[in-house]
Amino acid sequence: MQDVDLILINDKEKTMNPSTHNEIQGSVHEVKGKVKETAGKVTNNPNLQAEGSAEKNIGKVEKKLGQIEKVFEK
């Protein structure tokens, strides 16, 4: 999956705030982690389950970092 750095709105380029980018990436990692964790449980694969759990937790941290950055942007 590619990182999204630009949003086109009415033919104008607007760069995405780093905080928003971190929140989006965090959400993506969180969802991917949940999917891997569930797949690991279903297939009885503890390695995949652990990998999914780790990625989900990384996503939570990344999302929280974006939220904290938003507070300091104002």
Side-chain angles (χ1 to χ4, degrees):
M1 185 175 283
Q2 282 186 352
D3 292 349
V4 178
D5 291 329
L6 298 176
I7 298 176
L8 295 177
I9 301 173
N10 297 329
D11 296 329
K12 295 180 184 178
E13 287 187 7
K14 182 179 179 183
T15 58
M16 187 181 302
N17 289 336
S19 61
T20 304
H21 186 263
N22 283 341
E23 283 188 83
I24 291 170
Q25 288 293 41
S27 295
V28 168
H29 285 134
E30 223 177 322
V31 170
K32 283 173 53 180
K34 285 179 186 177
V35 169
K36 285 182 182 179
E37 188 176 25
T38 302
K41 286 179 184 176
V42 169
T43 60
N44 199 22
N45 183 340
N47 291 333
L48 185 60
Q49 188 176 351
E51 183 182 328
S53 180
E55 187 167 358
K56 181 176 73 173
N57 291 332
I58 288 170
K60 286 181 180 182
V61 169
E62 195 170 16
K63 198 160 101 176
K64 188 55 79 176
L65 177 65
Q67 292 169 349
I68 291 169
E69 286 175 344
K70 270 194 178 166
V71 169
F72 288 110
E73 285 176 359
K74 295 180 180 183

